[in-house]
């Protein structure tokens, strides 16, 4: 089977985001133009400007145990928040796809899941560190092996490994097919899809649980973001501080969330009577950096788009719209816009463009999958969602950014782009049905 011969489809989806949990709630929020950005409530010790973040309020310890992870509640003690979110959206996606994991051929069901590098809570090491301090208050390294580490929670490491979402998903679904974990920060979502596409096209599985999870709201993560990234302060508009591609954009807002889709070979999906939401046509990825390791977002984005079009055999004018990465940072949006036009030529300035980070923030690894699901919810209604927070697109970016109201469309084929500041970029082409 050649790359273009194997038809691969999406048959189910699950989403936990700052604008809702599940397709119905997220669709309602997008129709209202609601943003999930607000003052942080559930995390202490944040270093974020004005404490503005995109937080999932409705997913907490109680709802996790009683609703979203009811069948896995005995494992919650070894799941940090990212793992909990990832496991929960996979369960939602499997249910939406109508896959009965008790009866589905276990060896033909696989998992391809991405996550950020996870940070443990500082207080996890408080007691172990305290017993290693001498009477002067200095830390004594020689005490760690004999006294300090014994105070650690025995399974603490299992709570923070980025491969654990895929492990928990595979165990819960009894998925014995190919399983893989990816950690490419924001580029992860599209790459998990590309890997799953390859698995199904080469006949190694009939269905794959695909997705990503991310949480950038822990104290350590917010400090990293404050030091390394351009963050919006929201002083002019606290409700919409992140403004992708806007002339007044001032930075991004970070967040949390997770999303998952079920990907199947089309013939097998139709054989079991599955509803088909979209076709995955292809994609591409690229990483570009100079000799000092500084990423070149423009070149990476351009390369990823060219590779995606080559894999599908499509021309630029066959793309109905673009779901951009759109961080809302000054340099990032300019670089992405330039990469789009480098790859698509003049067509790149005409194709409708949308971005979701004004509504859901940047959750790291999770953002690509969240934005994919949001795009699918739009094509299901025959629209491109507007870019929430953006009112005056920057002419220097030169993109046809959709603002205000949803844009009705006939062409449901869209390009999803993601990138990292390190110069990693990924793109997939999806055809909504």
């Amino acid at each position: 089977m050649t790359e273009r011969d194997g038809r691969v489809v999406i048959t189910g989806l699950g989403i936990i985001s700052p604008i809702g949990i599940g397709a119905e709630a997220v669709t309602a929020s997008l129709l209202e133009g609601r943003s999930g950005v607000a003052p942080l409530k559930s995390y202490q010790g944040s270093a974020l400007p004005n404490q503005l973040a995109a937080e999932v309020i409705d997913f907490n310890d109680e709802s996790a145990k009683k609703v979203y992870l009811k069948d896995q509640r005995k494992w919650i003690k070894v799941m940090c928040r990212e793992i909990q979110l990832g496991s929960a959206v996979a369960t939602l996606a499997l249910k939406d796809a109508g896959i009965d994991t008790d009866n589905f051929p276990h060896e033909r069901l696989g998992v391809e899941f991405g996550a950020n590098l996870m940070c443990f809570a500082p207080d996890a090491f408080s007691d172990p560190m305290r017993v290693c301090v001498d009477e002067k208050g200095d830390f004594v390294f020689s005490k760690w092996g004999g006294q300090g580490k014994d105070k650690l929670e025995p399974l603490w490491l299992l709570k923070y490994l980025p491969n654990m979402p895929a492990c928990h998903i595979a165990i819960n679904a009894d998925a014995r097919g190919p399983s893989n974990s990816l950690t490419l920060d924001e580029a992860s979502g599209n790459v998990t899809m590309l890997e799953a596409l390859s698995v199904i096209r080469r006949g190694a599985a009939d269905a794959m649980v695909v997705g990503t999870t991310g949480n950038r709201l822990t104290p350590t993560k917010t400090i990293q973001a404050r030091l390394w990234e351009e963050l919006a302060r929201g002083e002019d508009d606290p409700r919409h501080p992140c403004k992708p591609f806007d002339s007044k954009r001032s930075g991004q807002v970070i967040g949390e969330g997770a999303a998952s889709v079920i990907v199947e070979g089309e013939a097998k999906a139709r054989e079991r009577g599955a509803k088909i939401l979209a076709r995955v046509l292809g994609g591409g990825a690229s990483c570009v950096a100079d000799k000092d390791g500084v990423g070149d977002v423009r070149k990476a984005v351009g390369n990823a788009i060219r590779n995606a079009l080559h894999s599908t055999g499509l021309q630029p004018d066959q793309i109905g719209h673009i779901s951009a990465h759109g961080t809302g940072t000054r340099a990032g949006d300019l670089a992405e816009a330039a990469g789009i036009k480098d790859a698509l030529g003049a067509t790149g300035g005409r194709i409708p463009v949308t971005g979701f980070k004004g509504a859901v923030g940047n959750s790291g690894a999770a953002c690509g999958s969240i934005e994919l699901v949001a795009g699918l919810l739009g094509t299901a209604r025959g629209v491109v969602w507007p870019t929430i927070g953006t009112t005056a697109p920057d002419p220097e970016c030169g993109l046809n950014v959709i603002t205000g109201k949803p844009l009705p469309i006939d062409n449901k084929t869209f390009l999803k782009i993601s990138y990292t500041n390190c110069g990693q970029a990924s793109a997939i082409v999806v055809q909504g049905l």
Side-chain angles (χ1 to χ4, degrees), residues 19-259:
I19 57 172
I21 298 177
E24 186 176 339
V26 172
T27 299
S29 292
L30 290 168
L31 285 169
E32 294 170 11
R34 187 173 75 83
S35 171
V37 177
L40 198 59
K41 294 181 179 180
S42 305
Y43 295 84
Q44 302 298 317
S46 165
L48 298 177
N50 296 323
Q51 299 300 294
L52 292 173
E55 182 181 1
V56 182
I57 298 297
D58 295 333
F59 188 91
N60 50 44
D61 290 342
E62 183 176 1
S63 64
K65 291 177 181 178
K66 294 183 178 180
V67 182
Y68 302 109
L69 295 170
K70 186 176 181 180
D71 294 338
Q72 302 176 67
R73 56 187 179 274
K74 68 178 181 180
W75 298 112
I76 288 178
K77 62 184 177 183
V78 290
M79 293 181 178
C80 68
R81 188 163 174 85
E82 288 106 310
I83 298 172
Q84 290 180 25
L85 290 166
S87 291
V89 293
T91 299
L92 291 174
L94 285 163
K95 181 179 179 181
D96 188 52
I99 289 182
D100 178 359
T101 55
D102 289 333
N103 295 309
F104 197 91
H106 301 297
E107 291 77 9
R108 304 297 299 170
L109 177 63
V111 180
E112 193 77 43
F113 224 81
N116 296 322
L117 295 176
M118 302 174 187
C119 290
F120 58 84
D123 58 7
F125 267 47
S126 298
D127 290 339
M129 298 283 282
R130 196 170 288 118
V131 299
C132 296
V133 174
D134 64 17
E135 61 276 4
K136 297 179 182 179
D138 295 328
F139 184 82
V140 180
F141 286 92
S142 60
K143 291 185 177 183
W144 177 255
Q147 301 174 51
K149 69 178 181 63
D150 291 340
K151 294 288 186 180
L152 278 173
E153 182 182 356
L155 299 178
W156 77 270
L157 185 59
L158 294 182
K159 295 174 68 173
Y160 307 104
L161 292 174
N163 66 314
M164 292 310 294
C167 292
H168 283 285
I169 292 165
I171 291 169
N172 187 55
D174 197 9
R176 305 175 200 171
S179 181
N180 191 28
S181 301
L182 290 167
T183 304
L184 290 87
D185 215 342
E186 293 104 320
S188 299
N190 294 336
V191 179
T192 60
M193 180 64 78
L194 290 174
E195 291 295 308
L197 195 63
S198 176
V199 168
I200 291 177
R201 282 180 169 169
R202 69 174 183 261
D206 293 334
M208 296 288 290
V209 182
V210 182
T212 49
T213 181
N215 174 18
R216 301 185 67 199
L217 301 183
T218 59
T220 304
K221 288 286 188 179
T222 63
I223 291 170
Q224 291 171 347
R226 187 69 177 265
L227 290 172
W228 300 337
E229 301 186 47
E230 183 183 24
L231 300 179
R233 304 191 67 85
E235 291 167 344
D236 61 329
D237 186 358
R239 295 177 307 161
H240 302 107
C242 179
K243 307 174 187 297
F245 304 108
D246 195 275
S247 57
K248 294 184 179 179
R249 67 189 183 279
S250 61
Q252 64 182 313
V253 170
I254 62 174
E256 63 177 353

Side-chain angles (χ1 to χ4, degrees), residues 145-428:
Q147 301 174 51
K149 69 178 181 63
D150 291 340
K151 294 288 186 180
L152 278 173
E153 182 182 356
L155 299 178
W156 77 270
L157 185 59
L158 294 182
K159 295 174 68 173
Y160 307 104
L161 292 174
N163 66 314
M164 292 310 294
C167 292
H168 283 285
I169 292 165
I171 291 169
N172 187 55
D174 197 9
R176 305 175 200 171
S179 181
N180 191 28
S181 301
L182 290 167
T183 304
L184 290 87
D185 215 342
E186 293 104 320
S188 299
N190 294 336
V191 179
T192 60
M193 180 64 78
L194 290 174
E195 291 295 308
L197 195 63
S198 176
V199 168
I200 291 177
R201 282 180 169 169
R202 69 174 183 261
D206 293 334
M208 296 288 290
V209 182
V210 182
T212 49
T213 181
N215 174 18
R216 301 185 67 199
L217 301 183
T218 59
T220 304
K221 288 286 188 179
T222 63
I223 291 170
Q224 291 171 347
R226 187 69 177 265
L227 290 172
W228 300 337
E229 301 186 47
E230 183 183 24
L231 300 179
R233 304 191 67 85
E235 291 167 344
D236 61 329
D237 186 358
R239 295 177 307 161
H240 302 107
C242 179
K243 307 174 187 297
F245 304 108
D246 195 275
S247 57
K248 294 184 179 179
R249 67 189 183 279
S250 61
Q252 64 182 313
V253 170
I254 62 174
E256 63 177 353
S260 179
V261 296
I262 304 303
V263 179
E264 303 184 56
E266 183 168 350
K268 288 289 185 180
R270 292 192 182 281
E271 185 179 302
R272 71 176 188 87
K275 64 180 180 185
I276 295 178
L277 307 175
R279 288 193 180 96
V280 185
L281 304 184
S286 178
C287 182
V288 183
D290 65 19
K291 63 181 180 179
D292 297 317
V294 177
D296 189 327
V297 169
R298 176 177 181 171
K299 286 185 179 179
V301 167
N303 289 345
I305 294 172
R306 291 186 195 95
N307 292 338
L309 290 180
H310 177 74
S311 76
T312 61
L314 296 179
Q315 297 300 313
D317 60 5
Q318 293 176 283
I319 300 297
H321 75 274
I322 296 170
S323 174
H325 190 63
T327 60
T329 60
R330 286 166 287 192
D333 286 2
L334 279 174
E336 182 179 9
I340 290 171
K341 291 181 288 186
D342 288 346
L344 302 180
T347 305
R350 297 193 295 266
I351 297 174
V353 173
T354 189
F356 293 100
K357 289 184 176 62
V360 299
N362 185 349
S363 52
C367 65
S369 298
I370 289 173
E371 292 158 12
L372 169 63
V373 169
L376 292 172
L377 296 176
T379 57
R381 299 183 70 90
V383 299
V384 178
W385 302 116
T387 308
I388 294 173
T390 300
T391 57
D394 186 354
E396 191 174 356
C397 290
L399 297 178
N400 180 18
V401 181
I402 305 306
T403 63
K405 299 184 298 184
L407 174 72
I409 54 171
D410 294 319
N411 183 349
K412 296 184 179 183
T413 299
F414 68 95
L415 175 71
K416 173 73 204 92
I417 302 168
S418 298
Y419 70 81
T420 75
N421 289 334
C422 298
Q424 301 160 295
S426 58
I428 56 174

